[in-house]
Amino acid sequence: MAADETTTPEPRPVPLAPLPDHRNVHTPWWQELWRRYAHVITPLRARGLQCDIEFGLSTYNVRVSLPDDSYLVISPPHDPPSERPPGDPEGWIATREHPDDQTLFEVIYDSAPSDDPSAPQRPEARHGGSAQPLIEAIDHRLAQLGLLPHPVLPHENSHVPPAQPSAPSEARAVSGTPHPGPRYVYGEALRDLTDRLNGVESPADAAALLHQILEPTEGLLAQLGEFFEAAGEKAKEAEEDDGFDLSYDLADAAAEIRNLSEVLHVAEDRMRALTPLAPAPRLPSSPAYASPLPPRVLPSASPKAAPPARRTP
């Protein structure tokens, strides 16, 4: 009995700071950047800090709003620009700045490699692109300044991902779309299947993946119909009017999915019968400093209204 009384309670998830409030949040290019920087963004959001993605001098940066209206800019090296993909740089540079006070500028962390062998290396340079030391340095400095809304304690479950970007499915589990929440392992599996479909080079390979979806007994659509049917039966167990109404809706969903499976039952064969396209000519390679995604400057959290256009008499 005494052991029961001293049992440590289960850690509760730490709520994440809200998403930015601008229309780019709903665009695929922004969501892809958010996913690539999830291993940096998610720990900071767990500390109550609102983050955003913006295009800086030559690369995409993470902008972190602070309670005193200053902000952090977390970026890869700018000069020379990093040739590595977003979210996986040679090193990180974190600075604190203020929009109305140009004298407030400090480098909180700099693990970017130096091109000058005679220049003294900062101690954190040995960490390179690892994100965990970056987060620890930000924790330490913001705690000194009293600007850390919610320090993450060791016993708290903050949903902080590994310091380095992990496999695609794991990275998406942290922030596959910019909506925080639990891991969606079945959605991740289907998303990985979609990624494989995007990468195939022949209709036959695409047909093999379609088979995983359309196989009439074990395929995804067949099993999804079974799932909604089982959910309808579970709703009936409540023995309430709304439970029965819900069971009918779920049964309708199961029927629609099965109908979709019947409509597409020959899609696999039709895909396999298509003629493979000839390889496209290789395009000239882009400069090393070119951005991997189209540069766009994201609007700030509270954009100022543009002045009215002057009319010519």
Side-chain angles (χ1 to χ4, degrees), residues 142-165:
L142 295 187
Q144 286 180 331
L145 298 170
L147 298 177
L148 202 57
H150 177 76
V152 175
L153 302 177
H155 67 276
E156 291 180 318
N157 178 13
S158 59
H159 296 293
V160 176
Q164 295 288 357

Side-chain angles (χ1 to χ4, degrees), residues 13-285:
V14 175
L16 300 179
L19 294 168
D21 183 17
H22 55 70
R23 61 185 179 182
N24 290 312
V25 169
H26 306 291
T27 59
W29 68 268
W30 190 92
Q31 293 177 7
E32 173 63 14
L33 285 170
W34 186 267
R35 181 186 70 80
R36 288 175 180 263
Y37 283 97
H39 58 299
V40 172
I41 291 171
T42 305
L44 297 174
R45 294 179 65 209
R47 287 149 174 80
L49 299 169
Q50 188 169 13
C51 302
D52 203 347
I53 302 288
E54 64 179 9
F55 192 79
L57 297 175
S58 60
T59 186
Y60 289 97
N61 307 328
V62 176
R63 182 185 174 111
V64 186
S65 302
L66 299 178
D68 67 345
D69 294 330
S70 65
Y71 58 91
L72 302 180
V73 175
I74 303 173
S75 68
H78 290 292
D79 188 18
S82 174
E83 298 181 12
R84 297 172 66 90
D88 184 26
E90 304 91 335
W92 294 104
I93 303 172
T95 60
R96 178 172 170 245
E97 306 172 33
H98 197 287
D100 301 322
D101 183 1
Q102 301 304 315
T103 63
L104 194 162
F105 180 89
E106 64 171 315
V107 178
I108 294 178
Y109 185 85
D110 185 356
S111 65
S114 174
D115 288 337
D116 185 359
S118 62
Q121 289 276 1
R122 293 176 62 98
E124 54 261 36
R126 67 183 184 274
H127 298 305
S130 176
Q132 188 61 36
L134 165 70
I135 301 301
E136 292 173 357
I138 291 174
D139 268 348
H140 179 70
R141 182 55 180 151
L142 295 187
Q144 286 180 331
L145 298 170
L147 298 177
L148 202 57
H150 177 76
V152 175
L153 302 177
H155 67 276
E156 291 180 318
N157 178 13
S158 59
H159 296 293
V160 176
Q164 295 288 357
S166 52
S169 61
E170 294 176 358
R172 292 191 189 101
V174 176
S175 187
T177 62
H179 297 281
R183 292 189 61 179
Y184 298 104
V185 292
Y186 307 107
E188 292 167 32
L190 185 57
R191 193 179 293 114
D192 288 344
L193 191 66
T194 304
D195 289 344
R196 290 173 58 190
L197 179 63
N198 287 331
V200 301
E201 298 180 355
S202 72
D205 292 337
L209 295 177
L210 274 175
H211 181 77
Q212 296 291 325
I213 307 297
L214 301 177
E215 201 284 328
T217 57
E218 301 298 329
L220 185 141
L221 285 182
Q223 295 305 312
L224 193 57
E226 295 289 335
F227 176 86
F228 279 107
E229 189 168 79
E233 293 300 318
K234 185 61 62 175
K236 287 181 183 178
E237 294 178 6
E239 296 185 352
E240 298 175 11
D241 290 342
D242 191 57
F244 285 100
D245 290 341
L246 177 58
S247 72
Y248 299 144
D249 292 339
L250 293 169
D252 289 343
E256 290 179 12
I257 290 170
R258 292 191 176 104
N259 181 62
L260 178 62
S261 181
E262 292 174 4
V263 169
L264 295 175
H265 75 284
V266 294
E268 177 186 342
D269 293 335
R270 293 174 63 190
M271 176 69 77
R272 188 174 284 107
L274 296 176
T275 305
L277 293 175
R282 183 181 296 274
L283 298 176
S285 59

